Amino acid sequence: MNKRLKYKIGVESLLIVCLMMSFFAISSCETDDTQVVATFNNLVMADEFDTNGAPNSAIWNFDIGTGQNGWGNNELQYYTDRTENVTVQNGVLIITAKEEQFNGSAYTSARLLTKGKFERTYGRFEARMRLPYGKGIWPAFWLLGDDSNGTQIWPQIGEIDIMEYVGDEPSRMFGTVHGPGYSGGESISKGYELENGRFDTDFHVFGIEWGPDYINYYVDDVLYNQITPEDVPGEWVFNRGPFYIILNVAVGGSLPGSPNAETVFPQTMLIDYVRVYENN
């Protein structure tokens, strides 16, 4: 089992990260004495995917179907809970996007969520994953605020995208927040690019550390962005909750566009683990 690094508090540790840029492929590194870097070391949820078969039903639900307007993005896939689209094998959760005719859709995939089973406000949320690739492929690891049984709607409930990635840019991912006044194309986002490598050829750890008035974004334990209330042009909706976890692989849609002749199917996202820590 990989042991996560504990984060030191203060500008000095950020300076060390910057000095080590030759060892890490990162998009940017800034020392800002207003940044908050906390230590989250109390493990409150871990799925190591040690049991073959279906995902752990005590943790995961499934979204099924095409959603409203293709899950709000005109996506092309039909989400299922079939083993052809989602299974656990040899310590890895496998989400597979396939090109096939199914219930009126040309593609199938899977979308797992912890709504009603595991929800939290604040903490470190991380997953070790190997991503798929190709035009029209859009995997994501994200958090969505609970809608209080339909009494609140997106984007008022808030959305924290820990990892998003479009498959025709295999060296670049991005982290994003959506809220009232800054959603969809107006969301607050920052990318992270590997200088030597691709996210589809090896596993990487994607995570956030989220506390009152800040969300820190990490790739492989490198802090590459912090978002605070001062960074959003609207209400900060991330000091309330709870939020739940979503893992999915979308195909097509307004973002990232449709697959093309070069897109290879099937495509798989491999998840080695999902872990959540709280601050003692």
Side-chain angles (χ1 to χ4, degrees):
M1 179 184 297
N2 292 332
K3 296 183 180 293
R4 63 180 299 275
L5 300 179
K6 295 183 179 179
Y7 299 97
K8 297 181 179 179
I9 299 175
V11 176
E12 292 84 355
S13 62
L14 295 177
L15 286 169
I16 292 171
V17 171
C18 288
L19 291 172
M20 295 179 67
M21 283 180 65
S22 61
F23 297 95
F24 296 102
I26 62 176
S27 60
S28 65
C29 185
E30 300 177 357
T31 57
D32 181 351
D33 59 10
T34 65
Q35 285 182 319
V36 179
V37 183
T39 299
F40 293 80
N41 54 13
N42 181 33
L43 183 66
V44 292
M45 191 277 275
D47 197 338
E48 307 291 334
F49 305 111
D50 291 333
T51 302
N52 289 349
N56 186 346
S57 61
I59 300 175
W60 303 104
N61 297 312
F62 296 93
D63 277 330
I64 305 294
T66 57
Q68 184 176 3
N69 299 319
W71 302 100
N73 184 45
N74 301 308
E75 294 165 15
L76 303 176
Q77 79 287 333
Y78 192 105
Y79 285 132
T80 87
D81 59 359
R82 304 177 307 160
T83 57
E84 293 93 329
N85 296 116
V86 56
T87 187
V88 176
Q89 297 294 329
N90 301 316
V92 175
L93 173 66
I94 306 170
I95 299 177
T96 302
K98 303 182 68 176
E99 184 177 20
E100 60 176 338
Q101 293 297 320
F102 187 87
N103 286 355
S105 297
Y107 304 92
T108 60
S109 186
R111 173 163 150 160
L112 289 73
L113 61 161
T114 65
K115 184 177 182 180
K117 295 185 175 180
F118 180 83
E119 302 185 3
R120 280 292 188 279
T121 303
Y122 308 144
R124 176 174 172 87
F125 297 74
E126 68 177 22
R128 184 174 183 263
M129 300 184 287
R130 195 188 79 186
L131 306 183
Y133 72 95
K135 175 64 178 176
I137 304 299
W138 185 19
F141 166 41
W142 49 301
L143 308 180
L144 193 61
D146 194 294
D147 63 2
S148 299
N149 296 317
T151 60
Q152 298 188 59
I153 60 173
W154 187 90
Q156 187 67 37
I157 56 177
E159 176 180 329
I160 304 171
D161 300 324
I162 301 171
M163 183 286 302
E164 289 186 284
Y165 158 100
V166 292
D168 56 344
E169 299 182 41
S171 297
R172 184 175 182 271
M173 56 75 63
F174 46 100
T176 306
V177 294
H178 300 259
Y182 51 99
S183 62
E186 303 301 320
S187 59
I188 305 301
S189 183
K190 184 175 182 178
Y192 176 102
E193 188 164 353
L194 293 175
E195 293 180 357
N196 298 293
R198 296 163 52 121
F199 288 111
D200 63 310
T201 58
D202 202 356
F203 282 86
H204 295 270
V205 178
F206 305 94
I208 60 163
E209 293 194 340
W210 166 33
D213 292 335
Y214 74 95
I215 304 170
N216 288 344
Y217 284 81
Y218 295 85
V219 175
D220 296 328
D221 289 326
V222 177
L223 172 63
Y224 75 93
N225 194 26
Q226 179 173 91
I227 299 176
T228 70
E230 289 71 28
D231 298 315
V232 303
E235 181 187 358
W236 179 262
V237 291
F238 307 106
N239 285 347
R240 61 173 184 260
F243 282 58
Y244 56 90
I245 301 169
I246 305 177
L247 291 166
N248 70 288
V249 178
V251 180
S254 302
L255 178 74
S258 298
N260 59 22
E262 284 72 47
T263 307
V264 176
F265 285 95
Q267 285 293 323
T268 58
M269 180 163 74
L270 308 181
I271 302 99
D272 181 30
Y273 61 74
V274 176
R275 299 173 186 165
V276 180
Y277 299 82
E278 289 183 343
N279 190 335
N280 283 335

